[in-house]
Amino acid sequence: MIDMKGVYKTYPNGVTALNGLDVAINQGEFVYIVGPSGAGKSTFTKLIYREEKPTKGTVNVVDTDLATIKERMVPKLRRQIGVVYQDFRLLPTLTVYENVAFALEVIEEDPKNIRRRVMDVLDQVRLKNKARFLPDELSGGEQQRVSIARAIVNHPKILIADEPTGNLDPDTSWEIMHILEEINELGTTVLMATHSQEIVNTIRKRVIAIEDGMVVRDESRGEYGYEH
Ligand code: ADP
Ligand code: ADP
């Protein structure tokens, strides 16, 4: 599903964020990405949805070679990848329903199907009863559930969650984790960058640790392994 070999990324300012990274992730896996700030975790995830290009090395995602992908094929790649951010990034003037429907409208989904698909996915994140609410009328956990609904409404093969619980209290964080686990159990590959020792050490999954732009540890059912 995701295969990177000998990947280097040097930004135009000369900073080398990835320094010979090798990673292979299979369909259906749930993987935590851990490591200190500045280690290269975000750069790694950005290469997957082609927000950044590697300076050197092979990046293969859902059977597509991202070194040679044509620009016009990038939207097709991105449709297979959902992304969830720490700060939700909902559109503040749109309702919950509209935020999620928008993801289908931009890919020109048949309007006949939009209502059913949006309500199904809101049901999946248990927010059907808040469809008419605006984001600022929701709690942080509810906003994150909307952003997850938006990310999965296209049925992507991969869901990338970049510190999805970073702005949430512990109870709400566990709710979000259970939703991510359910999505994974339905077949979506989940990659979650996190600084939560408690979550990683409790809901045990594969752990990939990145330091100085390299994989320094890769364990199935691993531990967080840092002191915070
Ligand atoms: P992490 O997500 O682990 O904190 P990042 O991938 O964000 O790590 O950053 C790795 C390194 O690359 C850091 O030194 C960071 O400052 C640098 N970096 C990240 N994005 C950019 C960018 N767009 N331009 C220049 N340097 C960047
Ligand atoms: P009900 O019909 O009982 O209201 P639904 O599950 O059909 O239940 O809808 C739940 C919520 O979603 C409703 O509050 C409705 O206003 C909202 N909703 C449904 N379709 C749309 C739409 N096309 N645009 C905006 N809001 C919608």
Side-chain angles (χ1 to χ4, degrees):
M1 180 82 8
I2 297 166
D3 198 7
M4 298 201 190
K5 286 202 187 80
V7 172
Y8 291 79
K9 173 65 185 180
T10 301
Y11 284 106
N13 64 356
V15 173
T16 294
L18 297 180
N19 204 359
L21 183 108
D22 294 299
V23 169
I25 294 168
N26 293 315
Q27 179 163 7
E29 287 199 78
F30 192 120
V31 183
Y32 294 118
I33 310 296
V34 304
S37 291
K41 302 181 298 294
S42 300
T43 303
F44 164 65
T45 59
K46 285 176 183 168
L47 289 181
I48 296 170
Y49 53 96
R50 211 356 181 78
E51 185 166 322
E52 294 289 351
K53 298 182 196 177
T55 310
K56 198 175 128 195
T58 315
V59 177
N60 207 288
V61 177
V62 284
D63 297 321
T64 309
D65 178 355
L66 300 198
T68 57
I69 188 175
K70 301 257 191 305
E71 280 310 315
R72 67 181 164 78
M73 297 305 283
V74 171
K76 182 170 176 263
L77 168 82
R78 292 201 178 132
R79 248 171 258 163
Q80 308 190 66
I81 304 169
V83 187
V84 171
Y85 302 94
Q86 178 172 1
D87 56 359
F88 323 134
R89 304 198 189 178
L90 300 173
L91 295 166
T93 60
L94 301 185
T95 65
V96 165
Y97 180 96
E98 291 162 346
N99 263 280
V100 179
F102 188 65
L104 292 174
E105 285 155 7
V106 296
I107 62 161
E108 296 175 5
E109 172 66 43
D110 185 342
K112 286 204 303 289
N113 300 331
I114 289 182
R115 181 188 167 84
R116 177 181 48 81
R117 290 187 57 180
V118 172
M119 294 315 292
D120 281 354
V121 82
L122 288 179
D123 196 26
Q124 195 178 343
V125 300
R126 307 195 250 299
L127 274 180
K128 237 174 129 177
N129 59 342
K130 301 255 162 110
R132 287 172 188 245
F133 286 51
L134 289 168
D136 71 4
E137 298 170 322
L138 303 179
S139 69
E142 288 171 332
Q143 290 184 56
Q144 191 57 295
R145 277 144 62 197
V146 178
S147 101
I148 292 170
R150 177 181 60 183
I152 63 169
V153 71
N154 293 327
H155 303 303
K157 294 203 170 79
I158 302 170
L159 178 64
I160 295 172
D162 194 357
E163 295 207 44
T165 65
N167 283 342
L168 303 176
D169 62 54
D171 284 351
T172 310
S173 298
W174 295 117
E175 264 174 47
I176 294 296
M177 287 310 299
H178 291 131
I179 288 170
L180 294 178
E181 280 195 287
E182 284 173 12
I183 291 166
N184 177 244
E185 281 156 15
L186 293 171
T188 305
T189 306
V190 176
L191 261 67
M192 171 172 160
T194 184
H195 284 112
S196 173
Q197 177 180 47
E198 216 193 342
I199 289 172
V200 174
N201 290 351
T202 305
I203 304 181
R204 300 294 283 268
K205 305 283 183 192
R206 180 174 173 189
V207 174
I208 295 177
I210 297 178
E211 291 179 25
D212 299 327
M214 283 175 285
V215 173
V216 295
R217 182 159 57 91
D218 184 351
E219 301 165 336
S220 55
R221 302 182 65 74
E223 290 192 1
Y224 182 68
Y226 298 97
E227 283 308 315
H228 55 88

mmCIF file of all heavy atoms in Angstrom, residues 147-192:
data_model
loop_
_atom_site.group_PDB
_atom_site.id
_atom_site.type_symbol
_atom_site.label_atom_id
_atom_site.label_comp_id
_atom_site.label_asym_id
_atom_site.label_seq_id
_atom_site.Cartn_x
_atom_site.Cartn_y
_atom_site.Cartn_z
ATOM 1 N N SER A 147 -14.438 16.019 11.019
ATOM 2 C CA SER A 147 -13.292 16.016 10.104
ATOM 3 C C SER A 147 -12.949 14.580 9.687
ATOM 4 O O SER A 147 -12.541 14.345 8.545
ATOM 5 C CB SER A 147 -12.118 16.792 10.704
ATOM 6 O OG SER A 147 -11.159 15.954 11.245
ATOM 7 N N ILE A 148 -13.164 13.617 10.584
ATOM 8 C CA ILE A 148 -12.958 12.208 10.217
ATOM 9 C C ILE A 148 -14.015 11.790 9.185
ATOM 10 O O ILE A 148 -13.697 11.136 8.182
ATOM 11 C CB ILE A 148 -13.003 11.301 11.460
ATOM 12 C CG1 ILE A 148 -11.790 11.575 12.358
ATOM 13 C CG2 ILE A 148 -13.049 9.820 11.056
ATOM 14 C CD1 ILE A 148 -11.856 10.898 13.732
ATOM 15 N N ALA A 149 -15.264 12.195 9.417
ATOM 16 C CA ALA A 149 -16.340 11.859 8.458
ATOM 17 C C ALA A 149 -15.999 12.396 7.076
ATOM 18 O O ALA A 149 -16.129 11.695 6.060
ATOM 19 C CB ALA A 149 -17.668 12.425 8.946
ATOM 20 N N ARG A 150 -15.531 13.637 7.031
ATOM 21 C CA ARG A 150 -15.159 14.248 5.750
ATOM 22 C C ARG A 150 -14.017 13.469 5.093
ATOM 23 O O ARG A 150 -13.993 13.289 3.879
ATOM 24 C CB ARG A 150 -14.752 15.704 5.995
ATOM 25 C CG ARG A 150 -14.282 16.419 4.747
ATOM 26 C CD ARG A 150 -13.872 17.837 5.053
ATOM 27 N NE ARG A 150 -12.777 17.884 6.025
ATOM 28 C CZ ARG A 150 -12.263 18.992 6.515
ATOM 29 N NH1 ARG A 150 -12.762 20.174 6.151
ATOM 30 N NH2 ARG A 150 -11.270 18.960 7.371
ATOM 31 N N ALA A 151 -13.076 13.006 5.918
ATOM 32 C CA ALA A 151 -11.902 12.310 5.359
ATOM 33 C C ALA A 151 -12.257 10.933 4.800
ATOM 34 O O ALA A 151 -11.582 10.444 3.895
ATOM 35 C CB ALA A 151 -10.823 12.166 6.435
ATOM 36 N N ILE A 152 -13.300 10.283 5.350
ATOM 37 C CA ILE A 152 -13.587 8.900 4.921
ATOM 38 C C ILE A 152 -14.797 8.775 4.012
ATOM 39 O O ILE A 152 -15.103 7.684 3.548
ATOM 40 C CB ILE A 152 -13.763 7.946 6.134
ATOM 41 C CG1 ILE A 152 -14.965 8.339 6.987
ATOM 42 C CG2 ILE A 152 -12.484 7.883 6.958
ATOM 43 C CD1 ILE A 152 -15.341 7.293 8.040
ATOM 44 N N VAL A 153 -15.492 9.903 3.739
ATOM 45 C CA VAL A 153 -16.745 9.803 2.978
ATOM 46 C C VAL A 153 -16.517 9.264 1.558
ATOM 47 O O VAL A 153 -17.405 8.653 0.968
ATOM 48 C CB VAL A 153 -17.509 11.149 2.994
ATOM 49 C CG1 VAL A 153 -16.817 12.211 2.155
ATOM 50 C CG2 VAL A 153 -18.960 10.961 2.558
ATOM 51 N N ASN A 154 -15.311 9.451 1.027
ATOM 52 C CA ASN A 154 -14.960 8.888 -0.294
ATOM 53 C C ASN A 154 -14.507 7.442 -0.227
ATOM 54 O O ASN A 154 -14.023 6.936 -1.233
ATOM 55 C CB ASN A 154 -13.717 9.588 -0.868
ATOM 56 C CG ASN A 154 -13.964 10.995 -1.214
ATOM 57 O OD1 ASN A 154 -15.058 11.337 -1.609
ATOM 58 N ND2 ASN A 154 -12.945 11.817 -1.080
ATOM 59 N N HIS A 155 -14.525 6.830 0.941
ATOM 60 C CA HIS A 155 -13.985 5.481 1.134
ATOM 61 C C HIS A 155 -12.537 5.379 0.685
ATOM 62 O O HIS A 155 -12.197 4.576 -0.189
ATOM 63 C CB HIS A 155 -14.832 4.434 0.389
ATOM 64 C CG HIS A 155 -16.267 4.444 0.808
ATOM 65 N ND1 HIS A 155 -16.662 4.257 2.113
ATOM 66 C CD2 HIS A 155 -17.403 4.655 0.104
ATOM 67 C CE1 HIS A 155 -17.973 4.337 2.184
ATOM 68 N NE2 HIS A 155 -18.456 4.589 0.984
ATOM 69 N N PRO A 156 -11.643 6.195 1.270
ATOM 70 C CA PRO A 156 -10.232 6.136 0.866
ATOM 71 C C PRO A 156 -9.585 4.829 1.321
ATOM 72 O O PRO A 156 -10.054 4.209 2.280
ATOM 73 C CB PRO A 156 -9.610 7.320 1.610
ATOM 74 C CG PRO A 156 -10.443 7.454 2.841
ATOM 75 C CD PRO A 156 -11.851 7.110 2.403
ATOM 76 N N LYS A 157 -8.511 4.448 0.655
ATOM 77 C CA LYS A 157 -7.770 3.244 1.065
ATOM 78 C C LYS A 157 -6.891 3.531 2.272
ATOM 79 O O LYS A 157 -6.572 2.634 3.035
ATOM 80 C CB LYS A 157 -6.903 2.756 -0.099
ATOM 81 C CG LYS A 157 -7.716 2.269 -1.286
ATOM 82 C CD LYS A 157 -6.878 1.312 -2.133
ATOM 83 C CE LYS A 157 -7.720 0.615 -3.176
ATOM 84 N NZ LYS A 157 -7.980 1.507 -4.336
ATOM 85 N N ILE A 158 -6.456 4.804 2.383
ATOM 86 C CA ILE A 158 -5.537 5.181 3.459
ATOM 87 C C ILE A 158 -6.122 6.380 4.205
ATOM 88 O O ILE A 158 -6.598 7.326 3.587
ATOM 89 C CB ILE A 158 -4.164 5.585 2.880
ATOM 90 C CG1 ILE A 158 -3.551 4.438 2.065
ATOM 91 C CG2 ILE A 158 -3.202 6.054 3.984
ATOM 92 C CD1 ILE A 158 -2.315 4.842 1.267
ATOM 93 N N LEU A 159 -6.068 6.322 5.538
ATOM 94 C CA LEU A 159 -6.431 7.489 6.348
ATOM 95 C C LEU A 159 -5.184 7.914 7.123
ATOM 96 O O LEU A 159 -4.605 7.117 7.863
ATOM 97 C CB LEU A 159 -7.561 7.140 7.324
ATOM 98 C CG LEU A 159 -7.986 8.288 8.247
ATOM 99 C CD1 LEU A 159 -8.583 9.456 7.460
ATOM 100 C CD2 LEU A 159 -8.990 7.799 9.293
ATOM 101 N N ILE A 160 -4.789 9.177 6.913
ATOM 102 C CA ILE A 160 -3.644 9.727 7.639
ATOM 103 C C ILE A 160 -4.177 10.675 8.705
ATOM 104 O O ILE A 160 -4.933 11.595 8.391
ATOM 105 C CB ILE A 160 -2.712 10.492 6.681
ATOM 106 C CG1 ILE A 160 -2.097 9.526 5.672
ATOM 107 C CG2 ILE A 160 -1.629 11.241 7.461
ATOM 108 C CD1 ILE A 160 -1.316 10.205 4.565
ATOM 109 N N ALA A 161 -3.816 10.428 9.945
ATOM 110 C CA ALA A 161 -4.277 11.289 11.035
ATOM 111 C C ALA A 161 -3.039 11.883 11.705
ATOM 112 O O ALA A 161 -2.227 11.162 12.274
ATOM 113 C CB ALA A 161 -5.104 10.474 12.027
ATOM 114 N N ASP A 162 -2.886 13.197 11.574
ATOM 115 C CA ASP A 162 -1.696 13.879 12.093
ATOM 116 C C ASP A 162 -2.033 14.450 13.473
ATOM 117 O O ASP A 162 -2.713 15.459 13.570
ATOM 118 C CB ASP A 162 -1.263 14.966 11.111
ATOM 119 C CG ASP A 162 0.141 15.470 11.405
ATOM 120 O OD1 ASP A 162 0.752 15.028 12.403
ATOM 121 O OD2 ASP A 162 0.625 16.311 10.628
ATOM 122 N N GLU A 163 -1.634 13.784 14.512
ATOM 123 C CA GLU A 163 -1.962 14.146 15.899
ATOM 124 C C GLU A 163 -3.449 14.446 16.101
ATOM 125 O O GLU A 163 -3.815 15.528 16.572
ATOM 126 C CB GLU A 163 -1.124 15.350 16.332
ATOM 127 C CG GLU A 163 0.347 14.988 16.364
ATOM 128 C CD GLU A 163 1.113 15.833 17.351
ATOM 129 O OE1 GLU A 163 0.603 16.030 18.462
ATOM 130 O OE2 GLU A 163 2.198 16.298 16.989
ATOM 131 N N PRO A 164 -4.306 13.490 15.776
ATOM 132 C CA PRO A 164 -5.753 13.756 15.804
ATOM 133 C C PRO A 164 -6.299 14.043 17.195
ATOM 134 O O PRO A 164 -7.367 14.629 17.318
ATOM 135 C CB PRO A 164 -6.352 12.464 15.247
ATOM 136 C CG PRO A 164 -5.357 11.410 15.569
ATOM 137 C CD PRO A 164 -4.014 12.091 15.416
ATOM 138 N N THR A 165 -5.564 13.637 18.230
ATOM 139 C CA THR A 165 -6.055 13.867 19.595
ATOM 140 C C THR A 165 -5.266 14.976 20.296
ATOM 141 O O THR A 165 -5.455 15.205 21.483
ATOM 142 C CB THR A 165 -5.974 12.571 20.431
ATOM 143 O OG1 THR A 165 -4.595 12.204 20.582
ATOM 144 C CG2 THR A 165 -6.721 11.419 19.770
ATOM 145 N N GLY A 166 -4.403 15.648 19.536
ATOM 146 C CA GLY A 166 -3.504 16.641 20.138
ATOM 147 C C GLY A 166 -4.202 17.788 20.851
ATOM 148 O O GLY A 166 -3.644 18.370 21.784
ATOM 149 N N ASN A 167 -5.429 18.125 20.405
ATOM 150 C CA ASN A 167 -6.160 19.237 21.026
ATOM 151 C C ASN A 167 -7.317 18.759 21.893
ATOM 152 O O ASN A 167 -8.195 19.560 22.228
ATOM 153 C CB ASN A 167 -6.753 20.154 19.944
ATOM 154 C CG ASN A 167 -5.705 21.060 19.318
ATOM 155 O OD1 ASN A 167 -4.633 21.252 19.890
ATOM 156 N ND2 ASN A 167 -6.009 21.598 18.153
ATOM 157 N N LEU A 168 -7.348 17.464 22.237
ATOM 158 C CA LEU A 168 -8.539 16.922 22.908
ATOM 159 C C LEU A 168 -8.203 16.401 24.305
ATOM 160 O O LEU A 168 -7.078 15.969 24.563
ATOM 161 C CB LEU A 168 -9.124 15.789 22.059
ATOM 162 C CG LEU A 168 -9.486 16.177 20.625
ATOM 163 C CD1 LEU A 168 -9.958 14.957 19.850
ATOM 164 C CD2 LEU A 168 -10.542 17.270 20.592
ATOM 165 N N ASP A 169 -9.216 16.416 25.183
ATOM 166 C CA ASP A 169 -9.003 15.864 26.528
ATOM 167 C C ASP A 169 -8.988 14.339 26.447
ATOM 168 O O ASP A 169 -9.373 13.761 25.431
ATOM 169 C CB ASP A 169 -10.078 16.397 27.484
ATOM 170 C CG ASP A 169 -11.460 15.976 27.065
ATOM 171 O OD1 ASP A 169 -11.693 14.751 26.891
ATOM 172 O OD2 ASP A 169 -12.321 16.856 26.876
ATOM 173 N N PRO A 170 -8.530 13.673 27.528
ATOM 174 C CA PRO A 170 -8.354 12.216 27.458
ATOM 175 C C PRO A 170 -9.625 11.451 27.084
ATOM 176 O O PRO A 170 -9.579 10.594 26.190
ATOM 177 C CB PRO A 170 -7.885 11.854 28.870
ATOM 178 C CG PRO A 170 -7.191 13.083 29.358
ATOM 179 C CD PRO A 170 -7.961 14.230 28.771
ATOM 180 N N ASP A 171 -10.775 11.739 27.704
ATOM 181 C CA ASP A 171 -11.992 10.977 27.387
ATOM 182 C C ASP A 171 -12.326 11.090 25.908
ATOM 183 O O ASP A 171 -12.653 10.103 25.245
ATOM 184 C CB ASP A 171 -13.189 11.500 28.190
ATOM 185 C CG ASP A 171 -13.118 11.046 29.635
ATOM 186 O OD1 ASP A 171 -12.245 10.191 29.952
ATOM 187 O OD2 ASP A 171 -13.915 11.554 30.449
ATOM 188 N N THR A 172 -12.256 12.318 25.397
ATOM 189 C CA THR A 172 -12.586 12.562 24.000
ATOM 190 C C THR A 172 -11.570 11.864 23.091
ATOM 191 O O THR A 172 -11.929 11.327 22.039
ATOM 192 C CB THR A 172 -12.596 14.074 23.743
ATOM 193 O OG1 THR A 172 -13.400 14.677 24.749
ATOM 194 C CG2 THR A 172 -13.143 14.411 22.394
ATOM 195 N N SER A 173 -10.319 11.836 23.517
ATOM 196 C CA SER A 173 -9.278 11.181 22.725
ATOM 197 C C SER A 173 -9.585 9.690 22.561
ATOM 198 O O SER A 173 -9.419 9.131 21.473
ATOM 199 C CB SER A 173 -7.911 11.328 23.387
ATOM 200 O OG SER A 173 -7.567 12.692 23.462
ATOM 201 N N TRP A 174 -10.059 9.050 23.632
ATOM 202 C CA TRP A 174 -10.390 7.614 23.514
ATOM 203 C C TRP A 174 -11.540 7.395 22.547
ATOM 204 O O TRP A 174 -11.528 6.431 21.766
ATOM 205 C CB TRP A 174 -10.719 7.002 24.886
ATOM 206 C CG TRP A 174 -9.542 6.986 25.815
ATOM 207 C CD1 TRP A 174 -9.432 7.638 27.003
ATOM 208 C CD2 TRP A 174 -8.289 6.302 25.622
ATOM 209 N NE1 TRP A 174 -8.190 7.409 27.560
ATOM 210 C CE2 TRP A 174 -7.469 6.589 26.745
ATOM 211 C CE3 TRP A 174 -7.772 5.488 24.606
ATOM 212 C CZ2 TRP A 174 -6.172 6.088 26.875
ATOM 213 C CZ3 TRP A 174 -6.485 4.995 24.747
ATOM 214 C CH2 TRP A 174 -5.695 5.286 25.862
ATOM 215 N N GLU A 175 -12.526 8.296 22.570
ATOM 216 C CA GLU A 175 -13.639 8.192 21.609
ATOM 217 C C GLU A 175 -13.119 8.237 20.174
ATOM 218 O O GLU A 175 -13.531 7.446 19.321
ATOM 219 C CB GLU A 175 -14.554 9.413 21.751
ATOM 220 C CG GLU A 175 -15.755 9.256 22.618
ATOM 221 C CD GLU A 175 -16.434 10.631 22.737
ATOM 222 O OE1 GLU A 175 -16.630 11.334 21.709
ATOM 223 O OE2 GLU A 175 -16.731 10.988 23.880
ATOM 224 N N ILE A 176 -12.224 9.181 19.938
ATOM 225 C CA ILE A 176 -11.657 9.330 18.585
ATOM 226 C C ILE A 176 -10.888 8.066 18.211
ATOM 227 O O ILE A 176 -10.984 7.554 17.094
ATOM 228 C CB ILE A 176 -10.724 10.576 18.522
ATOM 229 C CG1 ILE A 176 -11.542 11.865 18.718
ATOM 230 C CG2 ILE A 176 -9.917 10.610 17.221
ATOM 231 C CD1 ILE A 176 -12.558 12.158 17.650
ATOM 232 N N MET A 177 -10.141 7.522 19.173
ATOM 233 C CA MET A 177 -9.378 6.294 18.893
ATOM 234 C C MET A 177 -10.301 5.137 18.524
ATOM 235 O O MET A 177 -9.999 4.354 17.620
ATOM 236 C CB MET A 177 -8.521 5.906 20.093
ATOM 237 C CG MET A 177 -7.323 6.798 20.317
ATOM 238 S SD MET A 177 -6.335 7.064 18.838
ATOM 239 C CE MET A 177 -5.819 5.389 18.442
ATOM 240 N N HIS A 178 -11.433 5.026 19.228
ATOM 241 C CA HIS A 178 -12.335 3.917 18.913
ATOM 242 C C HIS A 178 -12.917 4.072 17.518
ATOM 243 O O HIS A 178 -13.069 3.089 16.790
ATOM 244 C CB HIS A 178 -13.388 3.764 20.011
ATOM 245 C CG HIS A 178 -12.763 3.278 21.290
ATOM 246 N ND1 HIS A 178 -12.988 3.851 22.517
ATOM 247 C CD2 HIS A 178 -11.842 2.297 21.502
ATOM 248 C CE1 HIS A 178 -12.249 3.223 23.432
ATOM 249 N NE2 HIS A 178 -11.542 2.281 22.834
ATOM 250 N N ILE A 179 -13.188 5.292 17.124
ATOM 251 C CA ILE A 179 -13.685 5.517 15.763
ATOM 252 C C ILE A 179 -12.602 5.161 14.738
ATOM 253 O O ILE A 179 -12.876 4.488 13.739
ATOM 254 C CB ILE A 179 -14.196 6.968 15.612
ATOM 255 C CG1 ILE A 179 -15.509 7.094 16.391
ATOM 256 C CG2 ILE A 179 -14.370 7.343 14.150
ATOM 257 C CD1 ILE A 179 -16.026 8.492 16.536
ATOM 258 N N LEU A 180 -11.357 5.570 15.010
ATOM 259 C CA LEU A 180 -10.269 5.229 14.068
ATOM 260 C C LEU A 180 -10.075 3.708 13.990
ATOM 261 O O LEU A 180 -9.827 3.162 12.906
ATOM 262 C CB LEU A 180 -8.959 5.912 14.481
ATOM 263 C CG LEU A 180 -8.946 7.443 14.388
ATOM 264 C CD1 LEU A 180 -7.607 7.993 14.869
ATOM 265 C CD2 LEU A 180 -9.238 7.926 12.965
ATOM 266 N N GLU A 181 -10.215 3.026 15.122
ATOM 267 C CA GLU A 181 -10.104 1.559 15.101
ATOM 268 C C GLU A 181 -11.224 0.929 14.274
ATOM 269 O O GLU A 181 -10.986 -0.028 13.536
ATOM 270 C CB GLU A 181 -10.185 1.003 16.525
ATOM 271 C CG GLU A 181 -8.894 1.101 17.288
ATOM 272 C CD GLU A 181 -8.947 0.210 18.525
ATOM 273 O OE1 GLU A 181 -9.673 0.601 19.469
ATOM 274 O OE2 GLU A 181 -8.298 -0.857 18.510
ATOM 275 N N GLU A 182 -12.436 1.454 14.421
ATOM 276 C CA GLU A 182 -13.557 0.909 13.637
ATOM 277 C C GLU A 182 -13.321 1.101 12.141
ATOM 278 O O GLU A 182 -13.587 0.203 11.340
ATOM 279 C CB GLU A 182 -14.877 1.597 14.018
ATOM 280 C CG GLU A 182 -15.442 1.113 15.343
ATOM 281 C CD GLU A 182 -16.663 1.928 15.778
ATOM 282 O OE1 GLU A 182 -17.203 2.712 14.967
ATOM 283 O OE2 GLU A 182 -17.044 1.774 16.938
ATOM 284 N N ILE A 183 -12.818 2.277 11.787
ATOM 285 C CA ILE A 183 -12.538 2.557 10.370
ATOM 286 C C ILE A 183 -11.493 1.571 9.863
ATOM 287 O O ILE A 183 -11.600 1.014 8.773
ATOM 288 C CB ILE A 183 -12.062 4.015 10.211
ATOM 289 C CG1 ILE A 183 -13.233 4.969 10.497
ATOM 290 C CG2 ILE A 183 -11.480 4.267 8.821
ATOM 291 C CD1 ILE A 183 -12.815 6.415 10.699
ATOM 292 N N ASN A 184 -10.476 1.322 10.673
ATOM 293 C CA ASN A 184 -9.425 0.366 10.314
ATOM 294 C C ASN A 184 -9.991 -1.047 10.158
ATOM 295 O O ASN A 184 -9.643 -1.780 9.226
ATOM 296 C CB ASN A 184 -8.326 0.413 11.372
ATOM 297 C CG ASN A 184 -7.229 -0.597 11.125
ATOM 298 O OD1 ASN A 184 -7.021 -1.511 11.918
ATOM 299 N ND2 ASN A 184 -6.523 -0.463 10.022
ATOM 300 N N GLU A 185 -10.893 -1.420 11.065
ATOM 301 C CA GLU A 185 -11.472 -2.770 10.992
ATOM 302 C C GLU A 185 -12.299 -2.957 9.719
ATOM 303 O O GLU A 185 -12.454 -4.074 9.240
ATOM 304 C CB GLU A 185 -12.309 -3.064 12.255
ATOM 305 C CG GLU A 185 -11.409 -3.446 13.433
ATOM 306 C CD GLU A 185 -12.045 -3.203 14.793
ATOM 307 O OE1 GLU A 185 -13.286 -3.012 14.862
ATOM 308 O OE2 GLU A 185 -11.288 -3.178 15.787
ATOM 309 N N LEU A 186 -12.802 -1.860 9.170
ATOM 310 C CA LEU A 186 -13.549 -1.949 7.907
ATOM 311 C C LEU A 186 -12.612 -2.004 6.700
ATOM 312 O O LEU A 186 -13.072 -2.043 5.564
ATOM 313 C CB LEU A 186 -14.525 -0.775 7.787
ATOM 314 C CG LEU A 186 -15.681 -0.798 8.802
ATOM 315 C CD1 LEU A 186 -16.475 0.504 8.760
ATOM 316 C CD2 LEU A 186 -16.602 -1.984 8.556
ATOM 317 N N GLY A 187 -11.298 -1.983 6.933
ATOM 318 C CA GLY A 187 -10.351 -2.231 5.843
ATOM 319 C C GLY A 187 -9.435 -1.085 5.465
ATOM 320 O O GLY A 187 -8.523 -1.266 4.652
ATOM 321 N N THR A 188 -9.671 0.101 6.020
ATOM 322 C CA THR A 188 -8.835 1.252 5.669
ATOM 323 C C THR A 188 -7.499 1.174 6.414
ATOM 324 O O THR A 188 -7.476 0.915 7.615
ATOM 325 C CB THR A 188 -9.564 2.558 6.061
ATOM 326 O OG1 THR A 188 -10.846 2.563 5.438
ATOM 327 C CG2 THR A 188 -8.793 3.790 5.638
ATOM 328 N N THR A 189 -6.420 1.405 5.701
ATOM 329 C CA THR A 189 -5.096 1.500 6.318
ATOM 330 C C THR A 189 -5.037 2.823 7.085
ATOM 331 O O THR A 189 -5.361 3.868 6.525
ATOM 332 C CB THR A 189 -4.015 1.500 5.219
ATOM 333 O OG1 THR A 189 -4.212 0.346 4.401
ATOM 334 C CG2 THR A 189 -2.616 1.507 5.800
ATOM 335 N N VAL A 190 -4.655 2.775 8.358
ATOM 336 C CA VAL A 190 -4.616 4.007 9.165
ATOM 337 C C VAL A 190 -3.181 4.292 9.606
ATOM 338 O O VAL A 190 -2.510 3.413 10.158
ATOM 339 C CB VAL A 190 -5.534 3.902 10.402
ATOM 340 C CG1 VAL A 190 -5.412 5.154 11.278
ATOM 341 C CG2 VAL A 190 -6.999 3.696 9.987
ATOM 342 N N LEU A 191 -2.729 5.509 9.336
ATOM 343 C CA LEU A 191 -1.426 5.990 9.821
ATOM 344 C C LEU A 191 -1.694 7.146 10.752
ATOM 345 O O LEU A 191 -2.319 8.127 10.348
ATOM 346 C CB LEU A 191 -0.620 6.551 8.647
ATOM 347 C CG LEU A 191 0.428 5.662 8.031
ATOM 348 C CD1 LEU A 191 -0.236 4.492 7.361
ATOM 349 C CD2 LEU A 191 1.216 6.472 7.035
ATOM 350 N N MET A 192 -1.220 7.038 11.956
ATOM 351 C CA MET A 192 -1.504 8.090 12.936
ATOM 352 C C MET A 192 -0.205 8.579 13.566
ATOM 353 O O MET A 192 0.472 7.823 14.263
ATOM 354 C CB MET A 192 -2.437 7.519 14.008
ATOM 355 C CG MET A 192 -2.629 8.437 15.179
ATOM 356 S SD MET A 192 -3.923 7.790 16.261
ATOM 357 C CE MET A 192 -3.492 8.671 17.767
#
